[in-house]
């Protein structure tokens, strides 16, 4: 068949030039027209493919897309209009320019073709120079369109890359600002605590020292009183009345207990001051080797008032399961900040869970009968692990996946900033090369897993 002969001839042609020839597909059921167009276009330096019906032409376009299509209007099987419509409906072929070949001169037919997506018309009989001029024009337009599309895609890629860079820079700036704010807060707290501890330690030290001597003096005085009572059987009515009035026996028993309580009180205040200093340690440029348990205990001491029972809720029990840990190289002030955020959040969650029932005093509080925070530490060859868990109401997966994002919070407006967990995540993952993970599901509480490499 003529169609196959022309196809074989065209597919076997090779260009002497290394540059790829522009390919034109001619779809026409007239062998004469195919031969004329093949010779004209081939002589002009184009690679020519031919098909004799619309269906074969569509298959050829899909398998070997040309740069331009010359399409006869009147053909068997499907006409040129339908062929054009199908090619325009296919996203992979719709941008290939189509020039109709027709002997029809009616304006309506030309308008129909242009409305279907054709770019031009060539009227039979052909005028060689006109055919080449129109083809050359539309091939140049196609090149320009392809170049514009390429530049548009490159521009879109650059815009996306630049937008991503700016977004990342903005996020980094936010994180830096947050860290600076928190660092300044911790630094200010450390200075305040150091000043308070200094002012408190002086009088407490004075009291503690004098209590030691006061206790010795009181013991001596009590011994003297006992000797007096033993050796003076008749002290006189006035003395006996005074002894009875002041209840000397009770004083002898209670005074040592009173001194012991005062000693315990001063020791407790000293412990609180030491815990405050431990909690608000100032981090230098280098990490320090510290006992993580000291930081946890200092944080619990500061939060002690929130763990006690209130009229509307029971006390929150803290269950500790500490392993024997070596001193860990870290930024202790930052690590204490993480403990504070996680423990304070656990208390908030338990209080919220208890308030949801709103009937604790009636004895019908079924949500949490025993609010509890569990703290467990462990160690392996590579890292130290701290687990802080509560038996609150837990959270859904959608919330759990967002909790480490900056400014994300489920607390009412004015109560939470959404920064605590975000900064905690940054402190553990970036500053300590560790891992901070949240494990939670509705009704099963929440557990935070801190892992710090040794």
């Amino acid at each position: 068949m003529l169609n196959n002969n022309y196809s074989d001839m065209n597919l076997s042609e090779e260009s002497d030039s290394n540059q790829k020839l522009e390919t034109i597909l001619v779809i026409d059921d007239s062998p004469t027209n195919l031969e004329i167009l093949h010779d004209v276009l081939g002589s002009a330096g184009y690679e020519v493919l031919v098909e004799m019906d619309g269906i074969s032409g569509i298959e050829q376009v899909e398998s070997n897309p040309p740069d331009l299509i010359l399409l006869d209007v009147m053909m068997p099987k499907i006409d040129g209009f339908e062929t054009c419509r199908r090619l325009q409906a296919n996203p992979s072929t719709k941008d290939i320019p189509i020039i109709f070949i027709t002997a029809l001169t009616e304006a309506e037919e030309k308008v129909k073709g242009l409305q279907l997506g054709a770019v031009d018309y060539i009227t039979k009989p052909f005028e060689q120079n006109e055919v080449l001029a129109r083809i050359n024009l539309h091939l140049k337009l196609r090149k320009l369109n392809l170049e514009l599309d390429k530049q548009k895609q490159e521009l879109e890629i650059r815009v996306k890359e630049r937008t991503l860079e700016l977004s990342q820079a903005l996020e980094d700036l936010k994180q830096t600002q947050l860290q600076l704010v928190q660092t300044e807060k911790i630094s200010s707290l450390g200075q305040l605590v150091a000043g308070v501890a200094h002012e408190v330690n002086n009088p407490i030290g004075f009291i503690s020292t004098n209590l030691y001597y006061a206790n010795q003096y009181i013991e001596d005085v009590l011994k003297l009183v006992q000797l007096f009572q033993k050796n003076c059987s008749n002290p006189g009515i006035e003395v006996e009345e005074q002894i009875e009035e002041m209840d000397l026996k009770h004083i002898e028993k209670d005074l040592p207990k009173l001194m012991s309580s005062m000693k315990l009180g001063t020791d407790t205040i000293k412990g609180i001051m030491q815990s405050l200093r431990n909690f608000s340690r100032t981090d230098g440029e280098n990490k320090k080797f510290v006992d993580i348990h000291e930081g946890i205990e200092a944080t619990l001491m500061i939060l002690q008032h929130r763990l006690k029972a209130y009229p509307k809720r029971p006390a929150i029990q803290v269950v500790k399961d500490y392993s024997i840990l070596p001193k860990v190289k870290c930024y202790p002030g930052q690590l204490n900040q993480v403990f504070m955020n996680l423990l304070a959040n656990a208390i908030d969650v338990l209080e919220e869970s208890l308030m949801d029932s709103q009937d604790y005093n009636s004895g019908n509080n079924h949500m949490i009968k025993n609010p509890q925070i569990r703290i467990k530490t462990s160690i392996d060859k590579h890292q130290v692990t701290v687990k802080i868990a509560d038996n609150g109401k837990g959270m859904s997966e959608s919330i759990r996946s967002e909790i480490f994002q900056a400014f994300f919070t489920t607390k009412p407006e004015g109560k939470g900033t959404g920064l605590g967990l975000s900064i905690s995540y940054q402190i553990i993952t970036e500053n300590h090369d560790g891992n901070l993970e949240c494990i939670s599901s509705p009704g099963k509480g929440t557990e935070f897993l801190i892992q710090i490499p040794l």
Side-chain angles (χ1 to χ4, degrees), residues 71-84:
L71 178 60
D72 188 21
V73 173
M74 305 300 294
M75 291 187 300
K77 297 184 180 178
I78 60 173
D79 61 15
F81 293 137
E82 177 61 19
T83 303
C84 179

Side-chain angles (χ1 to χ4, degrees), residues 292-293 296 321-326 328 335 339 375-388 428 434-437 439 447-454:
I292 286 182
H293 293 150
I296 297 174
D321 183 7
Y322 291 166
S323 297
I324 299 175
L325 302 180
V328 178
L335 205 56
F339 295 148
I375 305 174
K376 178 180 175 62
T377 61
S378 59
I379 185 174
D380 58 27
K381 294 181 180 179
H382 307 290
Q383 63 190 8
V384 167
T385 300
V386 180
K387 296 179 181 179
I388 299 177
I428 298 299
N435 181 51
L436 177 58
E437 183 181 353
I439 303 170
E447 180 179 77
F448 284 93
L449 183 70
I450 305 170
Q451 294 173 320
I452 300 176
L454 293 173

Side-chain angles (χ1 to χ4, degrees), residues 298-318:
T299 307
L300 288 172
M301 185 278 300
I302 294 173
L303 294 171
Q304 188 63 41
H305 69 287
R306 298 194 59 194
L307 298 171
K308 295 178 180 179
Y310 287 93
K312 292 185 178 180
R313 72 160 176 83
I316 296 175
Q317 182 184 10
V318 177

Side-chain angles (χ1 to χ4, degrees), residues 372-407:
Q372 189 178 94
I373 295 175
R374 300 179 304 280
I375 305 174
K376 178 180 175 62
T377 61
S378 59
I379 185 174
D380 58 27
K381 294 181 180 179
H382 307 290
Q383 63 190 8
V384 167
T385 300
V386 180
K387 296 179 181 179
I388 299 177
D390 64 69
N391 61 344
K393 60 183 180 181
M395 65 184 80
S396 64
E397 176 59 26
S398 61
I399 294 177
R400 190 201 65 80
S401 63
E402 297 285 339
I403 59 173
F404 294 126
Q405 298 297 322
F407 304 108

Side-chain angles (χ1 to χ4, degrees), residues 222 229 243-244 246-256:
L222 289 177
Q229 288 178 321
I243 290 175
E244 184 177 354
M246 64 185 297
D247 197 354
L248 182 59
K249 291 184 178 180
H250 173 73
I251 292 176
E252 289 176 346
K253 292 180 180 179
D254 194 54
L255 193 53

Side-chain angles (χ1 to χ4, degrees), residues 19-31:
Q19 184 177 1
K20 183 180 181 298
L21 297 178
E22 291 175 307
T23 303
I24 298 175
L25 172 63
V26 182
I27 306 175
D28 196 321
D29 64 334
S30 169

